[in-house]
Amino acid sequence: MRLNFFHSDLSQKFYKQNKKFIDKVNAFESELVTLSDFSLREKSLSLREKVKSPADLENVLIEGFALVREAAKRALKQRHYDVQLLGGLALHQGKIAEMKTGEGKTLAATLPVYLNALTKKGVHVVTVNDYLAKRDTVWMGQVYYLLGLSIGCIAHDEAFLYDPDYKNVNNSANILINNQNNNKEKGDETDEKRDATGSFKVFYEYLRPVSRKTAYDADITYGTNNEFGFDYLRDNLVYDLNQKVQRGHYYVIVDEVDSILIDEARTPLIITIPDMEASESYKLFAKIVPRLEKNIDYQVDEKLKSVLILDSGIEKVEKMLGVKNLYSPENFRYVHYLEESLKAYALFKRDKDYIVKDGEVIIVDEFTGRLLFGRRYSGGLHQAIEAKEGVEIKQENRILASITFQNYFRMYEKLAGMTGTALTAAEEFDKVYGLEVVPIPTNKPMIRKDLPDLVYKTSTEKWEAIVEEIKKRHNIGQPLLIGTVSIENNEKLSAMLSREGIPHNVLNAKNHEKEGEIIAQAGKLKAVTVATNMAGRGVDIILGGNPPIAEEVAKVKELGGLHVIGTERHEARRIDDQLRGRAGRQGDPGSSQFFVSLEDDLMRIFGGERIKSLMGVLNYPYGMPIQSKIVNRAIESAQTKIEGLNFDARKYTLEFDDVLNKQRRVFYDYRNKILDLAQSHHLLSEVESIIEKNIARLINVPIENLEAFLKEFKIIEENVKLNEIAESSLYNFLLEKSKTAFERIKAEIGIELLENISKSMMLNVLDNLWTAHLENLEYLREAVRLRAYGQHDPLVEYKTNAFRLFKDFFDRFEEMFFEIIFQIKKQQVSPVAKPAPSLPSDISPEKFKNVGRNDPCPCGSGKKFKKCHGR
């Protein structure tokens, strides 16, 4: 097949480097085409037996790709183009394949997915939403199934296996996927899975509900980034190894990789538990903050998205609260409420950053426009927004576990990704993930016309011009996709079009359930679709609609194909490119144009002084677009500037999270060690080791306090006098006594039950300490920001102090567990319940209330309070 190259030098270079590989895969085709389906599967399974480790994959690479191509021809009536073989190779090599919209990324991914699944280590394929995860499981699942592999799907609160022999009457919906640009085999029109137009039907009824563990145990598992990440966190909270669902992190392909690994990189996944403290203070500060004046009482930095309270603001707040010093220790909680409430008031806008639906504040993903159900801003910000909006304030949460997508996906042995827009972020992919971006040539020449921006002086002029442009093109029947950067603008434009009597569909986070349906019809004659940036990523817009009608397709092409209108430039050029990329797929005609005003946020905040001065001197007639190289350069400069700022912010976030990530891995490793020992019935050896370590620490405690402490826990008898024992013999004496005391507990409770109790206690203590540690690191992170004003590097300060906080973490765990284990009584435990007891009530009882930091600890350990229970 002759390849058309209208792409960058990089794509041509990659093609030339791998031309022989493509030829070898093509040469295999004649051998495989004669095999029956049964023989094809047998060949696949024999290939699997040759793969003993990932290193063996290179020996079966060519044959593996050829098998997938043949299976796709039979199962889907689709044959991989040579450029798709090229994309699949880049993905197998652990790179990012930049493939333009409509070039068949989903099909290209089947090649490396199948190949790497031969290792039996499990392959994960990440999509941006449940709809795509389910669709691709059933659609591509037919290819894998024909080759003898199992396919799982992880969705929100659901898990499935692809099973063509299963019929789920409650899940019988089907969707049509158009394959008009793929090679049709002879007799294809008679295939029962296709309709008269050649569209392929995907039946969800073939998804058999299973446990999450079963779905992960499949050779290949599809799912969303959120589900994979949350399952990892939940796996590290279980009390039994059998409760874990994931089985490792070998190879992952991330679809729309720029959206997931860059745009969502700063939003961590967090599992929380409710904090029982009341959140009434947020209501109070929701009333206080609006009474402060911007630039007098506080300053807002829109570039850095931060708010700084000024001295006059502090004085006003102190007066309203009736306190003398807001920053004194007893009032410090007020500072927290003030800062979060001020952020909520000055930086976070309704219908842009979040929406209020059914009395609940739901975050809107700023890059995709999707609603992030179940996600909450941390640190009290979400409660502050709830107070601002007058809805029910949910209890502030304590963090049990958290991880960023950056650190989750870097856990995989091999990471790859695919998207239509990655080159502008190539530096970030390389520096953060060690990923190389490889542009893949298009199968047919790109003929889309990208028209120059139309720049208006005011926002009003711009919106009027957009409506006129829509009206003009709609009247001739050309399909239109209009992209907006927020729900607010989305609904504003919708209202304007309604007033003009222009029928249109609206696609935003408020009606995301109809996303696939709306996007599928966006290429019909006279269709007008107004969408936020989500714009149906992962779903192709088919000219003439889906299923397409030949006469309509011809008419739409005659009119110039789909025309895309951008209502303003986005902060990142990638997002603009994504919107443009909805048109001109697979050699189709299409066009795009952006409408910009000098009042747009991007221009206002980042445009610089030259643009601001232009606003004053330009004397263009009302409604006339500005023709100025200065403006065009300013737009490009503003985008480059903010991309740099966002990259720096993500890099800064990652540097902080890397500190936590190292500690997280040490903590999870030890937690897993406990689970492993418990499963193999060797946990009591770890308990004995902890007892031994604590005895080694205790001999440094003053003898009187030590004696009282050991008698309290029945480790030594009441008549024992430790001062009568030689110092050189004390350690061995106490070690022997503690072992004897522990043997008594074993005998009284029984080894099996004691192991279960010990496991529950150890995990309970660890998890409580980890939660407190995460909170301390969060507070530390806030505190070190202030140290920048004192010429201290916040990151260095954070690293130093975080290390100190974690240094004694396991010592504290061992000390606390030591005290608990010797308090177990037979009458307190039930062989049936196998309880997971909470921490002892004397961790922070009444007797510790008024103790000075340097006073002896009331527990009798002999340590200073600050080094004992005061920690």
Side-chain angles (χ1 to χ4, degrees):
M1 187 186 86
R2 186 176 177 274
L3 289 168
N4 299 290
F5 288 104
F6 290 87
H7 217 56
S8 68
D9 292 340
L10 284 172
S11 64
Q12 293 183 42
K13 182 182 176 184
F14 189 64
Y15 170 71
K16 288 172 184 175
Q17 286 172 344
N18 296 288
K19 176 71 168 66
K20 287 181 180 176
F21 164 77
I22 292 172
D23 291 342
K24 287 177 182 177
V25 176
N26 289 337
F28 244 106
E29 196 164 13
S30 58
E31 178 186 328
L32 299 177
V33 74
T34 61
L35 298 179
S36 66
D37 286 358
F38 177 80
S39 299
L40 196 70
R41 175 177 285 208
E42 287 297 302
K43 198 167 188 66
S44 170
L45 295 177
S46 67
L47 204 66
R48 191 175 195 182
E49 291 307 309
K50 295 178 184 177
V51 178
K52 305 300 180 186
S53 73
D56 296 331
L57 292 178
E58 300 312 305
N59 301 326
V60 299
L61 174 60
I62 293 167
E63 191 173 356
F65 272 39
L67 276 168
V68 176
R69 176 189 263 179
E70 184 61 30
K73 280 164 56 182
R74 299 183 187 197
L76 308 180
K77 300 298 183 282
Q78 289 182 302
R79 179 183 179 276
H80 292 77
Y81 298 129
D82 286 0
V83 290
Q84 289 172 313
L85 296 179
L86 205 58
L89 181 64
L91 293 170
H92 168 63
Q93 292 173 344
K95 296 174 180 175
I96 291 176
E98 184 185 85
M99 298 177 70
K100 297 302 178 189
T101 301
E103 291 296 310
K105 296 191 295 291
T106 307
L107 187 63
T110 57
L111 300 156
V113 167
Y114 164 78
L115 186 73
N116 284 270
L118 297 178
T119 61
K120 308 179 187 71
K121 297 180 74 173
V123 172
H124 295 168
V125 185
V126 179
T127 65
V128 293
N129 59 44
D130 285 348
Y131 162 76
L132 293 175
K134 291 178 183 178
R135 182 200 73 176
D136 294 352
T137 299
V138 181
W139 188 17
M140 298 298 117
Q142 296 166 95
V143 178
Y144 309 126
Y145 188 82
L146 181 56
L147 295 172
L149 299 186
S150 55
I151 312 95
C153 177
I154 300 292
H156 185 61
D157 293 334
E158 298 177 298
F160 307 94
L161 277 185
Y162 169 67
D163 184 353
D165 297 324
Y166 177 79
K167 289 275 186 177
N168 184 347
V169 294
N170 296 319
N171 197 16
S172 59
N174 71 78
I175 57 171
L176 295 177
I177 298 172
N178 184 269
N179 300 318
Q180 61 181 1
N181 290 314
N182 282 288
N183 297 357
K184 279 193 173 186
E185 301 293 314
K186 190 175 180 182
D188 180 29
E189 290 79 357
T190 63
D191 192 288
E192 63 177 10
K193 294 174 184 173
R194 301 173 72 89
D195 69 1
T197 68
S199 287
F200 177 76
K201 294 180 181 179
V202 171
F203 292 93
Y204 284 171
E205 62 195 14
Y206 298 142
L207 290 175
R208 176 161 60 87
V210 293
S211 69
R212 288 178 98 75
K213 182 170 176 54
T214 301
Y216 276 113
D217 284 342
D219 296 311
I220 299 154
T221 307
Y222 283 84
T224 66
N225 49 317
N226 282 351
E227 296 305 313
F228 282 118
F230 276 128
D231 282 340
Y232 168 73
L233 292 178
R234 284 189 285 263
D235 273 357
N236 285 286
L237 290 170
V238 300
Y239 271 56
D240 193 297
L241 281 178
N242 295 325
Q243 296 171 340
K244 287 197 170 193
V245 296
Q246 291 187 344
R247 60 179 174 122
H249 299 85
Y250 163 57
Y251 178 52
V252 63
I253 293 179
V254 182
D255 193 10
E256 307 298 357
V257 66
D258 52 331
S259 174
I260 292 170
L261 294 191
I262 292 183
D263 298 339
E264 294 193 51
R266 291 178 66 189
T267 308
L269 296 171
I270 299 173
I271 293 179
T272 61
I273 52 171
D275 189 342
M276 301 314 289
E277 289 185 16
S279 297
E280 287 299 309
S281 296
Y282 288 110
K283 291 182 183 177
L284 172 64
F285 278 86
K287 295 174 182 175
I288 288 175
V289 162
R291 294 161 70 180
L292 303 178
E293 297 179 64
K294 185 177 176 181
N295 296 327
I296 296 175
D297 299 321
Y298 64 91
Q299 288 179 339
V300 177
D301 189 325
E302 291 186 86
K303 290 183 184 179
L304 298 178
K305 294 185 178 178
S306 64
V307 183
L308 178 66
I309 185 78
L310 302 175
D311 288 343
S312 61
I314 293 169
E315 288 174 13
K316 285 183 182 178
V317 173
E318 286 172 343
K319 192 172 181 182
M320 285 185 259
L321 291 174
V323 300
K324 288 184 179 179
N325 181 4
L326 192 63
Y327 288 85
S328 64
E330 66 272 15
N331 295 326
F332 193 71
R333 68 187 187 283
Y334 289 140
V335 178
H336 171 71
Y337 296 135
L338 173 61
E339 287 181 348
E340 299 307 316
S341 299
L342 204 49
K343 276 190 220 170
Y345 178 76
L347 288 174
F348 289 79
K349 307 299 181 191
R350 183 169 177 165
D351 285 342
K352 181 181 179 187
D353 302 295
Y354 62 89
I355 67 165
V356 177
K357 187 176 183 181
D358 300 327
E360 186 178 354
V361 171
I362 302 170
I363 301 173
V364 174
D365 187 313
E366 63 175 306
F367 296 100
T368 67
R370 289 189 174 90
L371 296 181
L372 301 179
F373 291 101
R375 299 268 281 271
R376 288 174 66 81
Y377 296 115
S378 59
L381 176 59
H382 213 94
Q383 287 78 11
I385 294 172
E386 287 168 335
K388 165 189 164 185
E389 295 295 342
V391 300
E392 179 192 353
I393 301 174
K394 304 269 176 72
Q395 287 178 329
E396 207 165 336
N397 291 325
R398 300 186 73 195
I399 299 173
L400 274 180
S402 72
I403 194 168
T404 60
F405 286 127
Q406 291 164 316
N407 275 318
Y408 174 72
F409 284 108
R410 292 196 306 178
M411 288 193 308
Y412 283 85
E413 294 175 42
K414 186 159 71 168
L415 167 64
M418 50 190 185
T419 181
T421 49
L423 274 178
T424 56
E427 181 189 2
E428 184 165 353
F429 280 123
D430 177 45
K431 287 186 176 178
V432 175
Y433 302 100
L435 286 171
E436 180 187 347
V437 176
V438 178
I440 306 299
T442 54
N443 185 54
K444 293 181 181 178
M446 171 75 74
I447 60 172
R448 184 185 68 230
K449 296 175 183 175
D450 294 328
L451 305 173
D453 292 2
L454 295 176
V455 184
Y456 295 85
K457 188 174 179 182
T458 67
S459 178
T460 303
E461 292 170 82
K462 178 189 78 171
W463 287 109
E464 289 175 356
I466 288 170
V467 172
E468 284 304 309
E469 181 73 5
I470 292 170
K471 194 188 298 184
K472 181 182 78 177
R473 290 181 182 266
H474 175 66
N475 285 339
I476 63 169
Q478 186 174 17
L480 296 161
L481 175 68
I482 303 98
T484 63
V485 299
S486 68
I487 297 172
E488 182 182 17
N489 286 347
N490 185 272
E491 293 178 341
K492 173 182 178 178
L493 179 58
S494 175
M496 293 175 78
L497 293 177
S498 295
R499 284 196 294 272
E500 293 291 332
I502 299 172
H504 60 281
N505 285 313
V506 177
L507 178 58
N508 62 37
K510 290 183 176 178
N511 66 339
H512 67 101
E513 297 89 352
K514 299 179 180 177
E515 177 181 342
E517 180 187 331
I518 293 173
I519 281 295
Q521 304 308 326
K524 287 175 72 71
L525 271 174
K526 299 184 80 70
V528 178
T529 309
V530 182
T532 46
N533 291 324
M534 63 200 302
R537 287 189 74 164
V539 181
D540 281 345
I541 296 176
I542 311 297
L543 296 188
N546 194 2
I549 298 167
E551 295 78 14
E552 271 208 34
V553 173
K555 180 65 176 172
V556 169
K557 286 184 175 181
E558 187 184 318
L559 292 170
L562 178 71
H563 181 65
V564 171
I565 293 175
T567 57
E568 65 186 87
R569 286 286 194 165
H570 197 273
E571 290 180 352
R573 287 168 292 174
R574 285 182 301 103
I575 313 297
D576 293 343
D577 291 342
Q578 286 160 13
L579 184 60
R580 284 193 197 278
R582 307 313 301 174
R585 61 181 292 285
Q586 278 284 348
D588 282 342
S591 53
S592 71
Q593 189 164 40
F594 280 83
F595 287 67
V596 181
S597 93
L598 298 183
E599 294 177 345
D600 291 348
D601 285 348
L602 180 74
M603 303 302 294
R604 183 176 55 81
I605 301 169
F606 295 94
E609 292 304 317
R610 282 197 300 176
I611 294 301
K612 289 174 184 173
S613 62
L614 267 176
M615 292 180 73
V617 299
L618 288 174
N619 243 343
Y620 277 74
Y622 186 88
M624 180 182 286
I626 298 165
Q627 305 291 327
S628 168
K629 290 182 180 178
I630 295 176
V631 175
N632 293 333
R633 282 198 300 267
I635 292 171
E636 191 175 331
S637 171
Q639 286 183 306
T640 305
K641 196 184 298 181
I642 197 165
E643 282 171 358
L645 282 170
N646 286 335
F647 176 27
D648 290 343
R650 287 189 292 267
K651 190 164 172 285
Y652 190 66
T653 299
L654 181 61
E655 287 171 339
F656 273 86
D657 194 58
D658 278 346
V659 177
L660 169 59
N661 196 47
K662 288 172 186 171
Q663 297 181 2
R664 182 194 293 118
R665 289 195 173 190
V666 173
F667 171 71
Y668 284 168
D669 283 348
Y670 185 69
R671 200 180 186 285
N672 286 327
K673 177 186 174 182
I674 291 173
L675 292 171
D676 286 331
L677 288 170
Q679 190 170 60
S680 61
H681 302 294
H682 290 98
L683 185 60
L684 293 188
S685 63
E686 178 68 13
V687 174
E688 288 163 358
S689 173
I690 290 172
I691 291 171
E692 197 170 322
K693 288 180 196 173
N694 272 280
I695 294 298
R697 290 190 198 99
L698 285 169
I699 58 171
N700 297 313
V701 172
I703 206 81
E704 302 83 13
N705 295 332
L706 175 59
E707 188 175 301
F709 178 80
L710 294 175
K711 286 178 179 178
E712 181 184 348
F713 293 105
K714 303 292 189 293
I715 294 172
I716 60 174
E717 298 83 359
E718 286 296 328
N719 61 350
V720 172
K721 304 291 183 187
L722 292 185
N723 57 7
E724 295 175 359
I725 299 170
E727 190 174 332
S728 59
S729 306
L730 185 60
Y731 171 73
N732 287 331
F733 174 79
L734 294 180
L735 186 58
E736 195 59 39
K737 286 291 184 183
S738 64
K739 284 181 178 178
T740 302
F742 188 57
E743 288 299 323
R744 279 199 310 269
I745 293 170
K746 277 190 199 177
E748 184 180 359
I749 292 171
I751 290 177
E752 185 181 352
L753 181 56
L754 184 59
E755 271 209 328
N756 286 327
I757 294 166
S758 297
K759 179 184 74 170
S760 295
M761 286 177 169
M762 292 169 93
L763 296 175
N764 192 267
V765 173
L766 275 173
D767 291 345
N768 274 278
L769 284 173
W770 183 245
T771 296
H773 183 67
L774 291 176
E775 287 177 347
N776 288 336
L777 289 181
E778 193 65 32
Y779 295 142
L780 174 63
R781 195 163 173 170
E782 289 182 18
V784 296
R785 283 192 299 115
L786 301 173
R787 297 183 191 181
Y789 296 106
Q791 303 304 306
H792 293 281
D793 184 335
L795 182 59
V796 172
E797 293 282 315
Y798 181 76
K799 284 180 177 178
T800 304
N801 287 283
F803 175 75
R804 286 175 185 158
L805 283 171
F806 195 61
K807 185 170 175 284
D808 299 325
F809 182 89
F810 291 103
D811 288 348
R812 291 162 64 199
F813 158 70
E814 289 168 356
E815 288 168 6
M816 292 170 72
F817 178 70
F818 179 83
E819 293 185 20
I820 294 169
I821 198 70
F822 283 104
Q823 295 182 68
I824 296 175
K825 300 287 186 292
K826 186 174 183 180
Q827 63 269 28
Q828 294 174 332
V829 299
S830 159
V832 179
K834 297 181 181 177
S838 58
L839 296 180
S841 59
D842 69 343
I843 293 302
S844 55
E846 199 70 26
K847 63 181 177 181
F848 292 128
K849 266 200 169 174
N850 298 309
V851 185
R853 281 174 47 76
N854 292 305
D855 293 344
C857 188
C859 77
S861 66
K863 297 179 184 179
K864 289 182 178 179
F865 179 62
K866 67 182 179 184
K867 291 193 175 287
C868 192
H869 281 81
R871 286 189 298 191

